[in-house]
Amino acid sequence: MNTDLPFLILHHSPQNNLNEFIHRFGSRFHLIDPLLPSFSAADANLSRILVCVGLEPVNPSTLDRFPSIQCVIGTTAGIDHIDTGECHRRGIKVTNAGIAFSEDVADYAIGLLIDVLRRISASQRYIRSASWPVKGDYPLGSTLGGKRIGIIGLGSIGSMIATRLESFGCIISYSSRTDKSKTNYTYFKSVDNLVRNCDILIACCSLTSETHHIINRETMMLLGKEGIVINVGRGGLVNEKALVEALVKGELGGAGLDVYEEEPIVSRELFELDNVVLSPHCAAFTPEGTEMILDVVGTNIEAFLANKPLLSEVKYA
């Protein structure tokens, strides 16, 4: 072991593949994997940095286990799995993925929306089941152009979604913590007022105590039978039980979901609905996006060790 290298804890679940991290950082840092039999608490106490790979929770017990930590490097855009309040109390810096995943998530949101509207996945199932020769033409989908789109959260992802939708001739409005005065989109402070002025609702904001179930039964009833919900943020933004009920009863027009409340468990009632497109929380992940997040992680680590400003530090409220 080269003790001259800085120590780095990789905090992760057993399902995470660390090969990319090992390949990128193995020669520059002494990597500590708490899940290996060779794990040494003494080595961990030499690390000031904890890299949170994926959505593994960072809570008070995590921080108690690694008391030398001064910086938590996140690898996701959302940080609801990191107890930022506890980190703040302990004087620990926190970073996230910044805009590394924003373009890929924005592309994916548009893909989900087009799939729901044009029934691409459903029509493929129709063909694969040999129904076309027997039942005739599949029902028509709906065009995207001219639709009124409401975006919850106009950060980097929401802004990129809006830009893409503009090219389709959509009418964009949004709800966010603050009015983004530099945009030409219509701002609604209240999500209910936003919903009253849109056909499609896209959730891409951070999950907090304030945004938990920000899309609820009342929201869905305001959207109505032709309304569509797209969620590429976090599962907890949508009341999944209410969503399932509204879709099954035909009170909502459709949904495109990449995230769920109890991942990887997904409500089975959604499986049978042709107006629902499901994706296993992969909107952010491409080989190109992985390279970008590794760049962000590396830059944040180097900046912290050099006592320089972090590239994507999360500022405490």
Side-chain angles (χ1 to χ4, degrees):
M1 179 181 69
N2 185 353
T3 55
D4 293 331
L5 297 176
F7 286 71
L8 204 66
I9 299 172
L10 298 180
H11 180 61
H12 68 105
S13 74
Q15 288 73 39
N16 288 125
N17 187 331
L18 299 182
N19 289 342
E20 295 289 345
F21 283 87
I22 294 170
H23 177 73
R24 176 70 76 94
F25 302 119
S27 62
R28 297 162 53 190
F29 303 97
H30 177 57
L31 302 181
I32 301 170
D33 185 346
L35 298 186
L36 292 179
S38 58
F39 169 74
S40 165
D43 287 347
N45 285 333
L46 295 175
S47 176
R48 296 190 294 144
I49 299 174
L50 181 143
V51 178
C52 181
V53 182
L55 298 175
E56 187 68 6
V58 177
N59 49 37
S61 62
T62 309
L63 301 175
D64 287 342
R65 186 184 183 194
F66 306 119
S68 62
I69 293 303
Q70 299 173 13
C71 184
V72 173
I73 304 290
T75 59
T76 57
I79 53 168
D80 49 286
H81 57 296
I82 299 175
D83 189 334
T84 54
E86 185 64 17
C87 288
H88 186 201
R89 189 181 72 79
R90 300 186 188 212
I92 297 172
K93 295 179 181 293
V94 177
T95 73
N96 66 1
I99 63 170
F101 294 135
S102 298
E103 290 195 2
D104 286 329
V105 176
D107 289 346
Y108 210 87
I110 304 302
L112 285 173
L113 177 54
I114 292 175
D115 196 340
V116 175
L117 283 170
R118 299 301 303 273
R119 305 182 180 183
I120 297 171
S121 295
S123 61
Q124 180 186 206
R125 291 191 295 272
Y126 189 75
I127 290 177
R128 288 180 181 273
S129 67
S131 296
W132 194 6
V134 178
K135 298 181 180 180
D137 292 341
Y138 192 75
L140 297 176
S142 179
T143 186
L144 175 56
K147 289 289 191 296
R148 301 177 303 161
I149 312 290
I151 300 174
I152 302 179
L154 203 70
S156 60
I157 293 173
S159 297
M160 290 182 185
I161 290 173
T163 299
R164 284 155 173 74
L165 288 170
E166 276 190 289
S167 66
F168 287 93
C170 295
I171 302 164
I172 312 297
S173 56
Y174 71 99
S175 180
S176 191
R177 284 179 295 181
T178 57
D179 184 352
K180 314 291 184 180
S181 57
K182 293 183 180 180
T183 75
N184 295 319
Y185 312 130
T186 303
Y187 172 67
F188 292 96
K189 185 174 183 179
S190 161
V191 170
D192 282 353
N193 287 336
L194 172 70
V195 175
R196 290 186 178 97
N197 290 275
C198 68
D199 310 303
I200 295 161
L201 196 58
I202 301 178
C204 52
C205 61
S206 299
L207 178 61
T208 66
S209 57
E210 289 77 20
T211 61
H212 181 257
H213 285 184
I214 196 168
I215 300 178
N216 52 36
R217 176 166 177 76
E218 290 73 22
T219 311
M220 298 170 205
M221 294 305 98
L222 287 172
L223 270 177
K225 294 183 178 181
E226 301 299 321
I228 292 172
V229 170
I230 303 294
N231 189 6
V232 290
R234 285 285 188 268
L237 297 174
V238 177
N239 183 329
E240 192 169 311
K241 182 178 179 181
L243 178 70
V244 169
E245 182 180 356
L247 288 164
V248 169
K249 290 183 176 179
E251 297 170 330
L252 187 67
L257 308 172
D258 182 54
V259 288
Y260 311 89
E261 286 208 74
E262 302 294 337
E263 294 179 7
I265 306 302
V266 179
S267 301
R268 296 187 64 85
E269 296 94 331
L270 297 173
F271 297 174
E272 305 301 321
L273 300 176
D274 276 345
N275 58 342
V276 176
V277 177
L278 305 174
S279 168
H281 201 152
C282 59
F285 304 116
T286 63
E288 296 86 351
T290 298
E291 285 301 310
M292 288 186 67
I293 188 56
L294 290 172
D295 288 343
V296 171
V297 167
T299 300
N300 277 320
I301 292 171
E302 296 289 358
F304 177 79
L305 293 174
N307 199 28
K308 294 180 178 179
L310 301 172
L311 176 65
S312 57
E313 183 173 1
V314 175
K315 301 297 184 181
Y316 299 113

